[in-house]
């Protein structure tokens, strides 16, 4: 890792992969400039995430327009009430795009309950079936829903599901279960927050071979830039913090997490 002219953002010479952001939700700058700034600090590839029927096509348009940018297709649990067979067909069709690398963001959110829980579970299961049909990994959101998340995964156990539990903030029990099932855990700027000891404890206990790096931009901006809009060019701060917590070199963290992301999202 070399020094950076960009104040407080380290520049990585070992490439990094941003595995989870929402570029169509950024308010500052434009996509081309954001990606250029990310490349300048060592972020080689970026995955922008679909979350609702209304941005499925937006993600496809973005990944068509920008080199090094990839995407997903899926409906977030917040929008699960909007999921129906027609939306499922759109996800299935979009998943055939050569730069779509996963089905997501899907899962369960019992913290906000923006959609009825029964509809969340049904949409989650339906999209897991799509992931198996198109042989793509999944990007999972789960909050305050550990037991049902594990129950649904058990229903699909042994069928070849693979993917990441992104922005992991759940229990050590869910973390251990997901790692045992072969999933990765995604970590972002939350690990730099003062009150996130629980997340840091899970990260410390998770083998680096199961860790993915993300920003979840424009949300969850890492220290010392909290209060500003998050973006993929802050990913090196997450990598640096992981290195400190795990007593590894930043280059080793970059090498392993990038290999993890490539194996999951960009298999040869």
């Amino acid at each position: 890792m070399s020094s950076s002219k960009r104040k407080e953002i380290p520049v990585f010479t070992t490439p990094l992969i941003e595995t989870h952001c929402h570029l169509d939700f950024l308010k500052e700058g434009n996509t081309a400039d954001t990606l250029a700034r990310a490349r300048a600090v060592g972020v080689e590839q970026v995955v922008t995430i679909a979350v609702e029927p209304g941005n499925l096509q937006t993600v496809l348009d973005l990944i068509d327009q920008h080199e090094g940018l990839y995407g997903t297709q899926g409906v977030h649990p917040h929008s699960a009430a909007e999921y129906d067979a027609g939306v499922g067909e759109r996800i299935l069709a979009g998943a055939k795009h050569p730069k779509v690398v996963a089905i997501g963001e899907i899962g369960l959110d019992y913290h906000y309950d923006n959609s009825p829980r029964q509809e969340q579970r049904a949409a989650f299961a339906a999209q897991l079936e799509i992931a198996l049909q198109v042989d793509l990994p999944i990007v999972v959101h789960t909050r305050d829903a550990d037991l049902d998340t594990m129950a649904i995964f058990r229903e699909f156990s042994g069928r070849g599901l693979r993917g990441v539990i992104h922005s992991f903030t759940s229990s050590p029990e869910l973390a251990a279960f997901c790692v045992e099932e072969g999933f990765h855990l995604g970590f972002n700027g939350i690990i730099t927050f003062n009150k996130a000891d629980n997340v840091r404890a899970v990260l410390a206990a998770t083998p680096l071979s199961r860790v993915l790096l993300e920003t979840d931009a424009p949300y969850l901006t890492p220290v010392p830039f909290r209060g500003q809009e998050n973006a993929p060019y802050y990913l090196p701060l997450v990598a640096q913090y992981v290195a400190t917590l795990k007593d590894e070199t930043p280059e080793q963290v970059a090498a392993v997490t990038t290999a993890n992301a490539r194996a999951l999202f960009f298999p040869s």
Side-chain angles (χ1 to χ4, degrees):
M1 187 175 67
S2 63
S3 62
S4 172
K5 295 180 181 179
R6 204 182 312 281
K7 185 179 178 181
E8 297 185 275
I9 303 178
V11 174
F12 275 69
T13 54
T14 303
L16 295 167
I17 295 179
E18 157 73 292
T19 63
H20 194 113
C21 64
H22 305 274
L23 291 186
D24 54 320
F25 292 168
L26 266 64
K27 297 178 181 178
E28 299 177 5
N30 59 55
T31 300
D33 289 345
T34 297
L35 293 173
R37 289 185 66 180
R39 285 192 294 271
V41 294
V43 181
E44 181 180 73
Q45 292 166 299
V46 173
V47 181
T48 190
I49 307 293
V51 293
E52 58 193 14
N55 86 326
L56 294 173
Q57 186 59 48
T58 303
V59 167
L60 296 178
D61 291 342
L62 278 174
I63 63 179
D64 270 335
Q65 295 164 12
H66 300 282
E67 184 178 354
L69 180 62
Y70 300 82
T72 70
Q73 294 283 275
V75 172
H76 190 286
H78 288 346
S79 298
E82 301 176 48
Y83 186 89
D84 59 22
V87 172
E89 288 299 322
R90 289 180 58 199
I91 293 170
L92 183 61
K96 297 175 183 176
H97 189 292
K99 293 180 74 180
V100 166
V101 297
I103 300 299
E105 181 174 349
I106 63 177
L108 304 174
D109 193 309
Y110 292 175
H111 181 79
Y112 289 107
D113 278 327
N114 286 354
S115 290
R117 294 183 179 185
Q118 183 175 354
E119 295 186 18
Q120 290 188 46
R121 291 190 291 268
F124 188 21
Q127 292 177 97
L128 293 179
E129 291 287 0
I130 291 174
L132 291 172
Q133 184 175 344
V134 297
D135 192 25
L136 285 177
I138 54 175
V139 175
V140 176
H141 171 110
T142 180
R143 189 170 184 188
D144 295 348
D146 290 15
L147 293 179
D148 279 358
T149 297
M150 287 189 282
I152 290 173
F153 280 153
R154 286 190 181 101
E155 292 176 9
F156 285 80
S157 187
R159 296 181 60 188
L161 277 180
R162 62 195 189 279
V164 56
I165 317 304
H166 109 93
S167 191
F168 196 91
T169 58
S170 298
S171 67
E173 292 76 17
L174 180 62
F177 172 85
C178 290
V179 168
E180 181 67 24
E181 288 290 305
F183 291 102
H184 293 76
L185 306 184
F187 296 93
N188 51 42
I190 290 176
I191 63 173
T192 71
F193 297 177
N194 286 336
K195 297 182 179 180
D197 288 341
N198 60 321
V199 180
R200 285 187 285 272
V202 169
L203 172 57
T206 302
L208 193 58
S209 61
R210 287 291 158 188
V211 171
L212 294 182
L213 305 182
E214 60 170 74
T215 64
D216 203 17
Y219 317 108
L220 306 176
T221 310
V223 174
F225 292 96
R226 290 200 73 181
Q228 300 183 30
E229 183 174 75
N230 203 3
Y233 45 77
Y234 290 136
L235 189 67
L237 293 164
V238 178
Q240 187 177 58
Y241 199 96
V242 171
T244 299
L245 184 66
K246 285 192 161 292
D247 195 25
E248 298 277 2
T249 65
E251 292 85 357
Q252 178 69 1
V253 168
V256 174
T257 59
T258 293
N260 296 343
R262 284 177 176 158
L264 185 63
F265 295 124
F266 309 105
S268 54

